[in-house]
Amino acid sequence: MQPHALGLRALHAAYREARLTVQDYVQALNDRIAALEPRIQAFEWFEPARAMAEAEERSGGILKDLPLFGVPVGVKDIIATRGIPTRMGSRIFANHVPGRSAGLVRRLEALGGIVMAKTVTTEFAFRHPGKTHNPWNLAHTPGGSSSGSAAAVAAGFVPVAIGTQTLGSVIRPAAYCGVVGYKPSFGAISRDGVFPFSKTLDHVGVFARSVEDAAWFGACLMGIDPRDEATGIRAGMRSLSVPLGPLGHAPRLAVVKTPKWSLASAAQQANFTESVANLKDAGALVREVPLPPAFNEAWNVVGAIMDYDAARGFASLESRHRLQMSPPLTELLDRGKRITPEQHAKNLARRDEYRRWLDGLYDGCDAIVTIPAVGEAPAGLGNTGDAVFCSLWTMSGLPAITMPSGRGPRGLPLGLQIVGRYREDERALQVAAWCEAVLGVRMGLAGD
């Protein structure tokens, strides 16, 4: 296997057994990036000489026992990196270079990781797209808002990358680019130093090329951080054991299509039906669970919560730079200003009702199985896709994992999404790993 194709765990083993040096690995990635990045454009910032200098700092081997020793990471460009530009996908921050890194960046560096590049984000992680192309077909979007992170992992530029999700910004681009996306339970990874969009919805997530790698990397970034009060709820969350242990039994799966099922393409629906049948044939206990009528309004509720939070969080920036913001963003901010605190309180109460119902569902199943996106990545770069099959689970703070499950009629990836119980991320990942093994879909690397 070529070095650039190694996953996180395989890379760790290669270092440990002295079959590969950090310098050789980073050079292999630099070569890969030089060959493909001009077409894919996954990176907002990248300096190959700096990456090699970071690799050389680790050549002594003193840090070899650290879990992220010599692991180059793509970091979404709304996450602060000291001494490295952080532009938020906006011309407002074109010259912004933070003096302090985000807590999760400091954590990954303390564990031996390398900030390899800053990955392209849509404007402030909302809808206005960046320059990144889908690495499987350059005429299609990679999804958003974590566009560059998903594309970089799919193309073999980095083994893992970091993204964020307010509605569907990890799960959807992962599905479009044929990689594994993992959005942990709300509060599992600190958002200190991450540009905020919605304080009650924002999550940090990760991209990898296997469920095991996503679990390993996610576990490395988790921890309570006094700078992000949301991480305080992690005190009740079970720690991830990595490497993941076996599930121990065939999973009990609740098939949830949601009231939005008709929006999915025929190819996505057929792929999902076939995937569920294969899981059932392998021993999974499968039952279809319809959501109660109250959930019909859930998508309006999550949208209103996001709009309200954003209108208040952006108030200062908007007052100084509104003319430099895209129309989709200013329209959202205007909607949010019209929502009263009383209406917002009612929306939060509705969200709590949804959470309680979903929590009760897990008394009879190990995980929900659903779809991550409408179908294949849309053509063109102007539309990063619809988060309709992600936002319900994000609003509820539940751990979600997507994995490749096949290809659509255009040859682009399709995915399967596993959603776990709040704070029970390990069980969700174990179910996802079981499903990954049964489905056996291997996408390889885009560009090979």
Side-chain angles (χ1 to χ4, degrees):
M1 182 179 289
Q2 294 294 315
H4 68 259
L6 293 172
L8 180 59
R9 296 299 311 287
L11 175 63
H12 196 268
Y15 285 157
R16 188 177 60 250
E17 297 162 11
R19 291 184 281 110
L20 188 66
T21 68
V22 182
Q23 296 100 311
D24 288 343
Y25 181 60
V26 170
Q27 185 59 57
L29 295 187
N30 283 348
D31 293 344
R32 178 79 172 178
I33 292 163
L36 298 179
E37 169 62 4
R39 299 195 301 274
I40 296 172
Q41 299 185 63
F43 294 157
E44 180 63 31
W45 171 92
F46 171 61
E47 292 182 1
R50 181 167 178 154
M52 283 303 300
E54 292 275 353
E56 289 166 5
E57 284 187 10
R58 288 153 178 78
S59 62
I62 298 173
L63 305 176
K64 258 191 176 178
D65 290 334
L66 294 176
L68 294 179
F69 169 76
V71 175
V73 179
V75 179
K76 186 176 181 178
D77 201 34
I78 63 165
I79 300 172
T81 42
R82 182 174 63 87
I84 296 173
T86 303
R87 300 183 177 118
M88 323 294 181
S90 168
R91 55 183 173 168
I92 298 169
F93 287 90
N95 300 312
H96 177 59
V97 180
R100 173 182 172 275
S101 288
L104 67 90
V105 172
R106 298 197 307 275
R107 188 176 185 91
L108 80 85
E109 291 179 327
L111 294 176
I114 299 169
V115 176
M116 183 74 173
K118 297 301 291 294
T119 57
V120 170
T121 175
T122 61
E123 178 199 31
F124 297 115
F126 190 51
R127 290 182 180 171
H128 189 66
K131 61 185 179 181
T132 308
H133 299 250
N134 190 304
W136 294 102
N137 186 324
L138 300 179
H140 291 251
T141 180
S145 62
S146 305
S147 313
S149 292
V153 172
F157 295 170
V158 286
V160 289
I162 302 171
T164 63
Q165 178 159 310
T166 303
L167 293 180
S169 295
V170 169
I171 297 299
R172 187 174 75 259
Y176 285 169
C177 291
V179 297
V180 172
Y182 166 39
K183 182 204 73 64
S185 292
F186 181 74
I189 300 175
S190 172
R191 301 168 301 175
D192 164 53
V194 179
F195 190 91
F197 199 94
S198 168
K199 65 180 181 179
T200 61
L201 295 172
D202 291 346
H203 296 64
V204 175
V206 300
F207 298 85
R209 292 191 289 270
S210 71
V211 172
E212 184 180 39
D213 282 358
W216 179 283
F217 187 45
C220 288
L221 299 182
M222 292 179 183
I224 295 174
D225 184 347
R227 296 178 185 268
D228 180 4
E229 63 181 13
T231 63
I233 64 172
R234 189 182 181 277
M237 178 176 162
R238 299 174 185 175
S239 297
L240 280 182
S241 300
V242 288
L244 286 172
L247 185 60
H249 58 84
R252 300 168 299 161
L253 300 175
V255 174
V256 178
K257 294 181 177 178
T258 84
K260 304 296 183 179
W261 178 251
S262 63
L263 298 178
S265 70
Q268 179 68 81
Q269 292 182 3
N271 175 266
F272 179 75
T273 299
E274 180 182 2
S275 296
V276 170
N278 289 338
L279 298 176
K280 185 175 181 179
D281 288 345
L285 301 177
V286 175
R287 63 187 178 100
E288 188 161 339
V289 178
L291 295 177
F295 278 85
N296 292 342
E297 295 301 315
W299 287 263
N300 294 332
V301 170
V302 67
I305 291 172
M306 179 181 70
D307 295 353
Y308 180 92
D309 281 351
R312 281 136 189 91
F314 274 83
S316 176
L317 189 65
E318 184 191 9
S319 69
R320 292 175 283 124
H321 298 288
R322 181 179 171 96
L323 293 179
Q324 294 173 281
M325 295 177 173
S326 69
L329 179 57
T330 56
E331 289 166 10
L332 176 144
L333 299 178
D334 290 343
R335 287 198 306 271
K337 293 171 196 172
R338 295 192 290 269
I339 299 172
T340 67
E342 293 75 19
Q343 290 170 326
H344 183 61
K346 289 181 180 178
N347 286 328
L348 294 178
R350 291 291 299 276
R351 176 172 68 175
D352 288 342
E353 293 174 9
Y354 299 142
R355 285 173 167 174
R356 285 193 291 271
W357 190 91
L358 289 168
D359 190 65
L361 174 61
Y362 289 102
D363 290 339
C365 71
D366 295 302
I368 288 169
V369 60
T370 186
I371 59 176
V374 172
E376 293 173 285
L381 301 186
N383 173 20
T384 60
D386 194 333
V388 68
F389 290 106
C390 307
S391 54
L392 175 59
W393 322 118
T394 311
M395 174 172 63
S396 304
L398 307 180
I401 306 101
T402 188
M403 70 196 73
S405 58
R407 294 181 187 267
R410 295 178 173 177
L412 290 164
L414 296 171
L416 183 78
Q417 183 174 195
I418 303 298
V419 182
R421 195 173 205 163
Y422 180 50
R423 298 184 183 175
E424 294 190 4
D425 288 44
E426 184 168 355
R427 174 58 60 86
L429 287 159
Q430 287 174 325
V431 172
W434 187 92
C435 295
E436 179 185 53
V438 169
L439 296 180
V441 176
R442 299 288 180 262
M443 294 298 298
L445 292 178
D448 279 356

